[in-house]
Amino acid sequence: LGNGGSTLHVLQYLEELYGDQWASFTVLLIHSGGYSQRLPSASALGKIFTALPFGDPVYQMLELKLAMYIDFPRHMKPGILVTCSDDIELYSTEVTETIVLDKPGFTALAHPSDLAVGTTHGVFVLDPSSFSGKGGLEYASCHRFLHKPDVGMMRQSGAVCVRGNCSSGNHGDSGMASECVYTDSIFYMDHLTAKQLLMFYKQMGTLCYEIDAYGDFLQALGPGATPDYTKNMSNVTKEDLGLVEVRQQLYSLLRGTALNVIVLNNSQFYHIGTTQEYLFHFTAESKLRFELNLLPVAFSIFPDRAKTSDQSSVIQSILEPRCVIGPGSVIEYSRIGPEVSVGKSSIISGSYINFSVDIPSHCFLSSVAVKINDQVEYVTMVFGVQDDLKKTVKLLSDIQLLQFFGASLAECLDLWSVEASGQLFSSGNTRLGLWTARIFPLCSTLSESVRMSLKMLNSVQHMSPFKLSGFRLLSVEEMLAYKDVEDMLKFRKQIYDEVCLQRQNEKS
């Protein structure tokens, strides 16, 4: 459905549940996270339940969102506030300044960012006469909205502002950047606009295309909007002419609708939707880590004899004495045994490692419980943190273009004695990539699945054979289709109970 389609779906659900009553509601709608291909440790349970390294017990993104938006409902007319689950907006305003969401149409928050950030976000082309760029908060009018534009496009359309105080923008190079653009984060639509979108959804019947709530709703707004974007297919997973038609219908529906912008000059937008961003914000000397007071160890059992650095992050996990965690690594919801060393800048999620092993640096390891024929089993995905799980090729002969931990997938398959046939990919003969490659062994226990996946990785690192022929192999796509959330939560609960018990023992 895409996050636009799921927004429409939720509007319909609200009406089914509450009839006309929902006309008086103020609604917070959070997209809980799609496939999460750039941070697959969040794929099975959803990005909104990402654990944060603070709180006792730990907070998840959901709690942080509720805390950040706690002031909004008091100053909001009936309507829908739409937000993603992997971004954090921090801002400061004067005591007398308030964010008020009460205008017809759409109202969006805007943050000063450098131009590089603008290329991966939505960018507002503001009417220069409507704001000064000074002070903490200003209400401005928006001429048009650009979705992930290149720098040339930003300049051409007048989105680039030259302003000293833009240096409060992302990436903290304060004083340097005199140029900035204003980028998007969350937006509000009043009830009448939401109702219009719902009517459109009902007329559509079945939705067959991936609609983006940011690109497809917001690009239709403002007096400068043009329908050119409807034909741009660069950000969709499946190209389809039907999608162009749906976008054009949405454009006709929303054209002329106001896009009001609340410019937060003293604000910061953080995204933690990729492995790189996640590691940076949770472990490096990042501004976010400082602003939220993120901890190196949160709600975990962590003996003195376990070695770690302040640059790592351990979240609701149990570490045995003598294990070693390298700087820049994140361990969440895991049990790490005494003979385990984890290298630098790695992510370990939902795993049980009770055997002697050196996990290399820049390794991504995440275990998933699956239920197949009423049987609970386990499978662990392992990648390099920079591997591109979104990349696909069209032909089997091109799979050497896919990279797995620095080696080509074709080389890896040879080492593992896995045949590169049509059966290798769960998607059939389309979308051949790391996401759909059936390469991960299914095992009867959690620790065994971790052991086998680490043996696969070891074989690639040392170019030594490791046969996968005796196992049933799953792709990440299949892991999510068969996931057993109940079992995964049970594992987390066991860790939670043990941490609580240890706390009690320490107190007594």
Side-chain angles (χ1 to χ4, degrees):
L1 285 173
N3 56 31
S6 60
T7 300
L8 300 175
H9 181 71
V10 166
L11 298 181
Q12 185 172 33
Y13 193 66
L14 282 171
E15 189 174 68
E16 281 170 15
L17 279 177
Y18 299 105
D20 292 341
Q21 239 186 313
W22 79 286
S24 62
F25 288 179
T26 50
V27 177
L28 172 61
L29 192 157
I30 310 176
H31 300 127
S32 65
Y35 293 132
S36 190
Q37 288 172 301
R38 295 177 302 165
L39 185 64
S41 46
S43 298
L45 288 136
K47 285 181 185 174
I48 192 61
F49 303 112
T50 299
L52 298 165
F54 73 110
D56 192 31
V58 292
Y59 291 126
Q60 295 175 323
M61 277 298 285
L62 178 60
E63 281 94 0
L64 182 61
K65 289 265 164 188
L66 295 174
M68 284 191 304
Y69 305 153
I70 199 164
D71 290 333
F72 290 168
R74 269 180 297 188
H75 309 284
M76 180 174 160
K77 280 195 170 163
I80 315 281
L81 185 69
V82 178
T83 179
C84 289
S85 51
D86 58 6
D87 58 27
I88 296 169
E89 302 83 23
L90 301 179
Y91 60 90
S92 71
T93 56
E94 299 299 321
V95 181
T96 52
E97 295 176 324
T98 317
I99 291 179
V100 180
L101 303 167
D102 63 349
K103 293 188 171 66
F106 288 77
T107 303
L109 300 190
H111 312 271
S113 301
D114 59 37
L115 272 56
V117 172
T119 60
T120 57
H121 287 257
V123 171
F124 300 103
V125 180
L126 298 174
D127 178 351
S129 64
S130 72
F131 81 114
S132 67
K134 296 183 173 64
L137 180 151
E138 284 187 282
Y139 290 87
S141 57
C142 184
H143 180 64
R144 66 182 287 207
F145 176 86
L146 311 172
H147 189 55
K148 300 186 180 178
D150 59 34
V151 173
M153 175 76 165
M154 293 183 225
R155 291 192 190 284
Q156 204 184 324
S157 53
V160 179
C161 306
V162 180
R163 198 166 276 112
N165 65 5
C166 275
S167 55
S168 67
N170 288 3
H171 302 323
D173 46 1
S174 53
M176 291 284 288
S178 58
E179 287 190 318
C180 75
V181 287
Y182 284 96
T183 53
D184 66 338
S185 61
I186 67 177
F187 68 85
Y188 158 84
M189 51 181 161
D190 72 328
H191 180 73
L192 277 173
T193 307
K195 187 94 179 157
Q196 255 186 306
L197 282 168
L198 175 58
M199 297 292 285
F200 166 79
Y201 184 50
K202 286 178 175 170
Q203 284 161 5
M204 285 268 313
T206 314
L207 191 62
C208 310
Y209 310 103
E210 189 180 330
I211 295 178
D212 184 351
Y214 297 84
D216 296 338
F217 295 173
L218 301 184
Q219 280 185 108
L221 310 175
T226 68
D228 302 351
Y229 72 89
T230 57
K231 295 186 178 70
N232 179 353
M233 290 289 155
S234 58
N235 291 309
V236 295
T237 42
K238 279 207 300 247
E239 292 189 25
D240 203 304
L241 288 172
L243 175 60
V244 175
E245 203 180 314
V246 173
R247 282 178 171 175
Q248 285 168 343
Q249 289 170 345
L250 270 168
Y251 174 74
S252 307
L253 175 83
L254 293 171
R255 217 178 128 197
T257 304
L259 176 53
N260 310 290
V261 175
I262 299 175
V263 176
L264 295 169
N265 284 308
N266 194 9
S267 70
Q268 196 90 12
F269 171 92
Y270 297 99
H271 186 251
I272 49 171
T274 71
T275 51
Q276 303 298 93
E277 290 167 336
Y278 177 83
L279 287 168
F280 173 72
H281 289 308
F282 283 11
T283 68
E285 290 299 311
S286 76
K287 205 169 164 210
L288 178 71
R289 199 178 190 204
F290 169 74
E291 288 184 324
L292 287 183
N293 193 23
L294 302 181
L295 305 168
V297 179
F299 197 69
S300 294
I301 293 179
F302 191 83
D304 299 338
R305 285 172 298 148
K307 282 200 186 126
T308 180
S309 79
D310 281 349
Q311 255 74 57
S312 55
S313 178
V314 179
I315 308 165
Q316 197 168 319
S317 293
I318 295 172
L319 274 62
E320 300 276 347
R322 299 195 314 284
C323 74
V324 180
I325 310 297
S329 288
V330 177
I331 312 292
E332 62 154 17
Y333 299 121
S334 293
R335 291 172 178 272
I336 309 289
E339 306 298 323
V340 178
S341 83
V342 177
K344 293 188 299 202
S345 304
S346 289
I347 296 170
I348 312 288
S349 174
S351 298
Y352 178 30
I353 312 176
N354 61 351
F355 48 90
S356 170
V357 68
D358 292 338
I359 295 171
S361 295
H362 311 291
C363 172
F364 174 88
L365 184 87
S366 177
S367 302
V368 179
V370 294
K371 203 174 210 172
I372 301 174
N373 302 330
D374 276 344
Q375 184 81 28
V376 179
E377 292 181 88
Y378 301 90
V379 60
T380 297
M381 61 180 99
V382 64
F383 294 106
V385 288
Q386 294 190 328
D387 288 351
D388 184 356
L389 273 64
K390 280 191 159 186
K391 183 175 178 171
T392 58
V393 294
K394 290 199 164 76
L395 302 169
L396 265 179
S397 52
D398 288 339
I399 60 171
Q400 77 271 11
L401 300 173
L402 300 169
Q403 291 280 307
F404 177 92
F405 221 94
S408 88
L409 183 60
E411 279 180 289
C412 299
L413 296 173
D414 281 347
L415 290 168
W416 302 329
S417 304
V418 173
E419 194 195 337
S421 69
Q423 296 301 301
L424 177 63
F425 295 93
S426 53
S427 53
N429 289 327
T430 59
R431 293 183 298 118
L432 313 179
L434 292 182
W435 186 257
T436 56
R438 293 184 168 126
I439 52 175
F440 299 110
L442 188 63
C443 299
S444 57
T445 67
L446 183 53
S447 65
E448 196 57 17
S449 84
V450 177
R451 187 199 294 266
M452 289 308 137
S453 291
L454 285 173
K455 281 188 171 175
M456 285 170 63
L457 181 58
N458 186 55
S459 104
V460 172
Q461 278 194 294
H462 298 101
M463 285 293 151
S464 59
F466 171 64
K467 276 196 163 70
L468 283 175
S469 43
F471 293 95
R472 174 170 180 183
L473 303 174
L474 296 187
S475 66
V476 181
E477 182 179 59
E478 288 173 317
M479 290 181 203
L480 299 183
Y482 296 127
K483 66 181 178 183
D484 185 351
V485 170
E486 213 171 304
D487 192 84
M488 293 171 77
L489 292 179
K490 194 168 82 181
F491 181 66
R492 292 184 178 192
K493 179 76 164 69
Q494 285 167 352
I495 294 173
Y496 174 90
D497 289 342
E498 273 181 58
V499 175
C500 289
L501 187 64
Q502 194 212 34
R503 297 280 171 92
Q504 275 177 322
N505 294 342
E506 281 170 2
K507 276 183 188 161
S508 59

